Amino acid sequence: MPFLRLALDVPLDRLFDYSVEAATAADLGRRAVVPFGSRRLVGVVMEVAEQAADAGIAIKPVEAVLDDLPALPAELLGLLRFCAAYYQHPIGQVVHTALPARFRDPSPFRVAEALRYQAADPAALREGLAARAVMQHRLAAMLERPVAEAELRAVSAGAWRIVQDWLAQGRVRALVQAPAAPVAAAGPALNAEQAAAVEAIGEACAGAAGGKFAAFLLHGITGSGKTEVYLNAIARVLAAGRQALVLVPEINLTPQLEARFRSRFPGVDIVGLTSGVADGERAAGWVRAARGEAALVLGTRLAAFTPLPRLGLIVVDEEHDASFKQQDGLRYSARDLAVYRARQAGVPVVLGSATPALESWHNAEAGRYRLLALRQRAVDGARPPSWRLVATRRQPLADGLHATTLAAIGERLARNEQSLVFINRRGYAPVMHCGECGWLAGCTRCSARLTVHLRERCLRCHHCGWEEALPAHCPGCGNSDLAPLGQGTQRLEQMLAQRFPHARVLRIDRDSMRRKGSFEAALEAVHDGRVDILIGTQMLAKGHDFPRLTLVAVVGADNGLHSADFRAGERLYAQLAQVAGRAGRAERPGEVLLQTDFPEHPLYAALMADDYAAFAAAESSERRRAGFPPFVHQAVLRADGFALAEAIAFLQRAIELAPEDAAVTLWDPVAAPMARLANRERAQLLVQSGARSRLQAFLAAWMAALRQLKAGKVRWSLDVDPLEV
Ligand code: ADP
Ligand code: ZN
Ligand code: ZN
């Protein structure tokens, strides 16, 4: 009797055997319902075997193998296996992270055949609806293009009935055939650099016969026309009858972007996938992609796992964005998986960014990726903003703002223009700083910065575990007035309101925008000119165009310059480049004022010259010298418990279980940068190696040993290629 080996959603790193009457290779990748203890679980068939792995154990029969969905293709199973091995995560949990949650439900998923529905006259359909009929309006919007039954049903319980009524009334038509071969609508004529980029990508796509693997790094500032390059490359892929996968950061997948894709490819079935999409809709999109009906998948990181049998091209936009890395459970990088997937499928992948991740830049320099550069703005007239550094060391500040900055805001008010005060206060770990001589607390054992822990009155190195008492005086100049860098922006809003009593001041951050819809309302107010001074954090850095905004004043940037986190500089550069792009339009040139204690810092010089290459070169040599990624590969073992000592003790035991490997370095366990979270004390242990394969082999052996360890009340997890250490 044959056996099916299933991936089940349980935290054990193994497959589970069940017997069946008969099995064929066609069962691979199918869902199967099985008894598991007292539960019934839905698993995915990963292997078909003639012999059970554990001969001694009584094997239960499979209850049913389901055939309502297309089976996961072998390639996708391969990707999931790779993912489990690389990130050291149980295979069953990897598989279930990758699938829409709906598929854990054993009841059959009804998917209509390729029959599609579309409004006979979209405008007439919309006009016939009552203004308050929200669901009807939503359906009408969907029906502007051909939609499958499953997608309509997924909207809500009553949705399909409404569509059937419209069908009966002739307001909606059933399209019997699949949509005609996709044709792209015309876009602007490409400039020379764009055309060269599309040509290079197109060559690797190489028509219906399938392409070849090639990784491209498309580097160009915002507005240089990267999206146009994607659209043109995709048009070729679709015309050749193949599918494309486009990954974007969560915050960038706006209705505007989706609309831009839909209007460029009017006849094409486009699946939009974000974490906000209802699960039924996600499942329906998944099925259409897996059947090859949907030609384009546009989604956030989870879309990286969508089955695409005719995949021809992968695009990762804003590839440097941290949201591509999942921060809990399966801690995968969708960008890195996209490259793996492209290689596996033998198709090109395009990583696009104005400020690439240093890892990607390094790959381009090493010749593994091909660099495609867009050096100009695509639209004439949009001028880059002018920069001015405002030196603040030993200068009086009014609740964080320099007189120069206040004067610049005053000028904008007089001209009836808007200002944005941008506060950079991401959760950077604070470092100790001397305002007199510029001294910064660094680790003497390694080259990381020391982090201030005020509660314990000490400085700690999160890299190697070094710890020392808070110094009373500056070791450089004896100044006894030492303080953590970058404090004191809290009162900004109040101060601005007092200073400019007639100005309309609006603060936009997570605290003030908690209520649903309040962020959208705030953006609208800014757009309509009902706000004079905006105060904001990174929420505002991206994607919003405010035509009347002509001044961006940046405070707290230095936090990122000298953070204990070695990636802080890279993030700072990306964020400031982005926020600077908010200032100024063709008619009204923008200005960026940056308050800093370090006006001579090379990061600011590169930023002002819009010279990412110079920044990357400086940052790379720094990282190479200090032995940080991309020149080494890292993993972090994290543990948390009710007391820090518990978590540290667990990590100590983990070190004792570590296999010997001279190519792998384990540092001492240390309190995490944010040591206390949700009543748990957190500690971490950094592991690194110059050779990725050695680190991988080490982790596999180490995790096998660790899983046997009794952790008690300590929870632990491994993060491979962590973004925050
Ligand atoms: P990015 O993705 O790099 O931010 P986009 O592709 O969105 O840039 O282009 C920015 C703007 O310039 C868009 O409005 C786009 O339609 C326009 N654009 C892009 N390429 C061209 C071109 N070759 N000619 C005219 N307009 C263009
Ligand atoms: Zn000093
Ligand atoms: Zn150190």
Side-chain angles (χ1 to χ4, degrees), residues 187-192 194-195 218-232 257 260 264 317-318 353-354 374 376-380:
L190 300 181
N191 64 34
Q194 287 174 312
L218 179 62
H219 177 224
I221 54 165
T222 307
S224 61
K226 294 185 295 298
T227 309
E228 275 308 318
V229 171
Y230 310 147
L231 289 167
N232 281 273
L257 182 70
R260 190 166 165 194
R264 183 62 63 91
D317 188 28
E318 306 280 350
S353 178
L374 305 181
Q376 291 124 29
R377 297 203 173 202
V379 218
D380 296 335

Side-chain angles (χ1 to χ4, degrees), residues 57-410:
I57 294 176
I59 295 205
K60 293 181 189 162
V62 165
E63 202 173 291
V65 177
L66 306 177
D67 60 0
D68 54 336
L69 300 179
L72 302 190
E75 238 168 40
L76 189 64
L77 295 180
L79 177 74
L80 298 173
R81 274 207 193 87
F82 165 77
C83 204
Y86 187 84
Y87 294 107
Q88 300 294 331
H89 203 67
I91 180 72
Q93 294 189 325
V94 170
V95 170
H96 286 85
T97 303
L99 288 181
R102 165 62 179 83
F103 297 155
R104 280 173 217 207
D105 180 342
S107 66
F109 187 71
R110 282 190 38 128
V111 198
E113 280 316 304
L115 202 63
R116 271 155 214 292
Y117 301 87
Q118 191 172 16
D121 177 348
L125 178 61
R126 243 181 293 117
E127 275 159 26
L129 302 175
R132 287 156 167 275
V134 177
M135 204 219 309
Q136 274 87 339
H137 277 284
R138 170 125 190 256
L139 291 169
M142 292 170 76
L143 286 162
E144 284 178 20
R145 61 183 174 93
V147 210
E149 178 184 335
E151 204 179 344
L152 295 165
R153 280 182 182 277
V155 171
S156 83
W160 182 236
R161 265 237 312 283
I162 295 172
V163 177
Q164 280 183 314
D165 288 346
W166 290 345
L167 261 170
Q169 295 156 7
R171 297 206 277 171
V172 165
R173 284 197 301 247
L175 311 173
V176 182
Q177 315 112 306
V183 192
L190 300 181
N191 64 34
E193 285 177 332
Q194 287 174 312
V198 172
E199 211 42 57
I201 300 162
E203 227 164 82
C205 293
K212 56 176 189 279
F213 170 72
F216 297 94
L217 182 60
L218 179 62
H219 177 224
I221 54 165
T222 307
S224 61
K226 294 185 295 298
T227 309
E228 275 308 318
V229 171
Y230 310 147
L231 289 167
N232 281 273
I234 292 167
R236 293 193 182 192
V237 167
L238 300 187
R242 300 178 70 90
Q243 296 169 297
L245 171 64
V246 181
L247 301 179
V248 298
E250 187 81 50
I251 192 161
N252 286 45
L253 188 44
T254 54
Q256 290 87 317
L257 182 70
E258 210 174 315
R260 190 166 165 194
F261 274 79
R262 290 199 192 281
S263 71
R264 183 62 63 91
F265 304 115
V268 176
D269 182 355
I270 299 178
V271 171
L273 281 180
T274 53
S275 56
V277 168
D279 199 61
E281 205 172 327
R282 185 183 166 202
W286 190 97
V287 170
R288 275 159 36 231
R291 284 180 171 174
E293 295 168 17
L296 182 58
V297 172
L298 175 62
T300 52
R301 68 170 176 259
L302 52 81
F305 295 109
T306 315
L308 293 156
R310 289 182 286 111
L311 182 62
L313 174 67
I314 304 180
V315 172
V316 184
D317 188 28
E318 306 280 350
E319 61 91 30
H320 66 281
D321 196 278
S323 77
F324 286 122
K325 178 91 158 83
Q326 176 138 315
Q327 300 289 1
D328 54 16
L330 171 61
R331 292 169 170 78
Y332 68 99
S333 156
R335 178 203 51 218
D336 295 350
L337 287 185
V339 176
Y340 180 88
R341 215 178 151 176
R343 188 187 301 277
Q344 184 193 35
V347 302
V349 57
V350 181
L351 310 180
S353 178
T355 52
L358 219 60
E359 281 80 358
S360 304
W361 189 258
H362 181 62
N363 280 329
E365 297 222 294
R368 285 187 288 272
Y369 296 174
R370 192 162 146 204
L371 186 65
L372 304 171
L374 305 181
R375 291 177 190 83
Q376 291 124 29
R377 297 203 173 202
V379 218
D380 296 335
R383 265 180 291 164
S386 60
W387 285 79
R388 198 151 40 119
L389 296 183
V390 179
T392 45
R393 190 182 295 170
R394 270 171 280 171
Q395 294 275 318
L397 299 179
D399 289 312
L401 290 192
H402 190 274
T404 307
T405 309
L406 287 168
I409 295 173

Side-chain angles (χ1 to χ4, degrees), residues 434 436-439 474 476-479:
C434 171
E436 285 298 315
C437 74
W439 170 85
C474 168
C477 70
N479 170 23

